[in-house]
Amino acid sequence: MSDSSPLPPVRLHPEAELARDALTTPLLSRAARLARWAGPDTRVDTGGGLVDEQLPAAAETLGLTGDDAAVLAGEAWRIAVDAGLVEVVDEEAGTVTAGEELALLTGGAPQDVLGVWLAALEAVLADASVPDLDDLVDAVGAGDEVDFSSLDWDPDAEAEFLDGVLGNLYLLTASEDGPGDSPVPLPALAASMIVPGDMGEPTNDVLEQVSDAMMRLDDQFRLLEPVGLVEYQPVDEALMADIDSPEEEPAATVDDTDVSRYGMVRLTPLGQYGLRARLLEAGFGAPAVGELSDKGADALLDGTAQFPPRAAQAETEQWLGRREPLAAARELLAAARGSDAGAPLRRLHCQQALSLVGAEAEPALREVLDDAELGGLARVWLSERGAADVPAPSEEMVFWLTIDTVAAQLAAEGNSHELRALVEGLARQHGGFFEAAWRVGHPATADVLEAMGRLHPDKKIAKEARKAAFKARSQHGS
């Protein structure tokens, strides 16, 4: 996924709702409780971590019990420090005080709360890219420095791999043909980073790499769930036992075809917000439905050009909801004018937007009936609504609208099956189409005729289209 690749628009929940979600995530809520618990007697080590002697009291404050209580308390404290909820006052003495960000959790705006949560998320993501603690201890060499080569671990590569997996999960969640709110199998996510797209049957070596990646991701998603980024169903422990001791008989009958045994992950609404923020920070174009609602009609028509159909309609409905129908129609029609390369697609999106407007917009459409660029789509809109006294279009307007429509479809879909069908239908229904079409004074006439020659399966008709394109270019040149 490159930073120039357009990402599908994501549908975000309201910030107030997301802020409430952030405050109730296990990790941030624990971090906030520890920040309020900390006082003059609280002590931290040189790295800012809570000293071992105070971990039991911290765990008790959080209501944690069991063998992992101290570990979980320590993790929550590190998040409190990294997110600015706690500030180290004196490193030598190990004293702390409440951080400036703590007050934002109760007195700040939703955006302030989400800013604190994003800081917590970054800290967790950094932790998720670090090897297991036991492996780190084993890799400590002379001078208390970690020998990364003995770990077979590259910090930058590990972080890049996790970012790539999360990017693919974001893409799957936002895509209209993706799983949406349904969980994604962990093997599919691992394979998306490892298996080449042009590979037919994966080799044993590739499958082994996918399996290793799944195990790494299982550990990482277990860490990412408490911060609210994902909902995660871990890899089945029985499966892990099968991998570690394949010679032993399984303890119970298990279904090897049940994909959920291998881990299932779903990006939460809060996770969508967080990953989009990170993508924007990294320079990606990551649109969100609704962000064009306060912009002009030109921004709406251009901005939705790369949107999939349902997202484009949702964006347009929000835009229309903030305007009176008649004023909105006039603004859309004005923005649809133009002879630049993007104008046909703007007019197509204008027509689609106007289909969502009621009869109150009729005066705006009648005002452009004599407009060379807009008269055709105005007649279509009025006729579809059964309006009276709609003048018949001239032959010149019919051909101009046809060229404009095909140019828009070319810009929107390229050489799609639907466009091929449209091209074949035009040539079949109008015997002298090409003889008349090359004379049309539309900036895209020659390009459209060339495309028709490329797309039409009949060689004779394709040749007629190319000849017509040549005539159109000659006429334009003269």
Side-chain angles (χ1 to χ4, degrees), residues 112-201:
D112 297 325
V113 174
L114 290 170
V116 176
W117 178 80
L118 285 171
L121 174 62
E122 288 301 323
V124 177
L125 286 169
D127 287 344
S129 299
V130 174
D132 180 82
L133 181 60
D134 292 336
D135 294 338
L136 277 176
V137 171
D138 292 340
V140 173
D144 292 334
E145 293 184 357
V146 177
D147 179 10
F148 290 123
S149 61
S150 68
L151 287 171
D152 190 23
W153 176 70
D154 181 336
D156 293 334
E158 192 68 25
E160 184 178 342
F161 179 83
L162 181 56
D163 282 345
V165 169
L166 293 175
N168 287 346
L169 181 58
Y170 179 92
L171 185 61
L172 285 169
T173 304
S175 298
E176 289 194 349
D177 57 352
D181 291 334
S182 300
V184 178
L186 192 61
L189 269 183
S192 72
M193 294 295 295
I194 294 172
V195 181
D198 57 354
M199 176 175 281
E201 188 71 22

Side-chain angles (χ1 to χ4, degrees), residues 74-399:
E75 291 173 353
W77 177 263
R78 286 198 301 275
I79 295 302
V81 173
D82 291 339
L85 305 179
V86 172
E87 182 181 341
V88 178
V89 177
D90 187 329
E91 292 187 6
E92 285 192 23
T95 55
V96 299
T97 188
E100 294 181 0
E101 308 299 321
L102 182 59
L104 295 179
L105 296 184
T106 54
Q111 197 168 24
D112 297 325
V113 174
L114 290 170
V116 176
W117 178 80
L118 285 171
L121 174 62
E122 288 301 323
V124 177
L125 286 169
D127 287 344
S129 299
V130 174
D132 180 82
L133 181 60
D134 292 336
D135 294 338
L136 277 176
V137 171
D138 292 340
V140 173
D144 292 334
E145 293 184 357
V146 177
D147 179 10
F148 290 123
S149 61
S150 68
L151 287 171
D152 190 23
W153 176 70
D154 181 336
D156 293 334
E158 192 68 25
E160 184 178 342
F161 179 83
L162 181 56
D163 282 345
V165 169
L166 293 175
N168 287 346
L169 181 58
Y170 179 92
L171 185 61
L172 285 169
T173 304
S175 298
E176 289 194 349
D177 57 352
D181 291 334
S182 300
V184 178
L186 192 61
L189 269 183
S192 72
M193 294 295 295
I194 294 172
V195 181
D198 57 354
M199 176 175 281
E201 188 71 22
T203 63
N204 289 336
D205 179 60
V206 167
L207 291 174
E208 185 175 347
Q209 292 180 51
V210 171
S211 179
D212 290 342
M214 284 172 52
M215 295 302 101
R216 285 156 54 200
L217 289 172
D218 181 64
D219 290 336
Q220 290 169 330
F221 281 128
R222 289 172 191 258
L223 289 176
L224 293 172
E225 186 174 33
V227 79
L229 185 74
V230 296
E231 290 179 1
Y232 183 55
Q233 177 182 326
V235 175
D236 187 349
E237 294 292 344
L239 180 65
M240 305 279 277
D242 292 346
I243 294 174
D244 294 337
S245 304
E247 70 282 355
E248 295 183 9
E249 290 293 326
T253 303
V254 292
D255 183 3
D256 289 333
T257 64
D258 181 6
V259 70
S260 66
R261 290 187 67 216
Y262 298 87
M264 301 289 287
V265 61
R266 184 182 80 88
L267 196 60
T268 65
L270 186 61
Q272 292 180 45
Y273 172 88
L275 290 190
R276 177 175 180 263
R278 300 186 83 241
L279 287 166
L280 291 172
E281 181 71 22
F284 287 84
V289 172
E291 63 182 353
L292 300 176
S293 62
D294 60 346
K295 306 285 194 303
D298 53 346
L300 175 72
L301 298 181
D302 287 335
T304 55
Q306 301 298 324
F307 281 23
R310 292 198 298 274
Q313 179 170 331
E315 184 72 58
T316 303
E317 287 173 345
Q318 291 196 33
W319 188 90
L320 291 171
R322 300 180 62 149
R323 293 159 178 81
E324 293 296 326
L326 181 56
R330 284 178 173 143
E331 189 179 348
L332 287 166
L333 289 164
R337 286 192 174 92
S339 57
D340 58 285
L345 189 55
R346 284 203 307 276
R347 282 186 281 273
L348 175 63
H349 285 292
C350 173
Q351 190 169 3
Q352 292 169 343
L354 289 170
S355 70
L356 303 174
V357 181
E360 305 96 320
E362 182 172 335
L365 278 298
R366 288 195 178 276
E367 290 165 6
V368 299
L369 281 172
D370 295 329
D371 188 290
E373 296 176 350
L374 304 175
L377 69 84
R379 283 168 171 78
V380 171
W381 190 93
L382 291 166
S383 298
E384 287 178 344
R385 281 157 181 74
D389 302 322
V390 181
S394 65
E395 183 178 86
E396 180 183 2
M397 180 174 285
V398 170
F399 275 93

Side-chain angles (χ1 to χ4, degrees), residues 23 82 401 405:
L23 289 172
D82 291 339
L401 181 59
T405 300

Side-chain angles (χ1 to χ4, degrees), residues 426-446:
L426 287 171
R428 183 171 57 251
Q429 293 169 16
H430 304 279
F433 177 81
F434 296 113
E435 183 57 31
W438 71 264
R439 306 173 193 274
V440 175
H442 191 294
T445 297

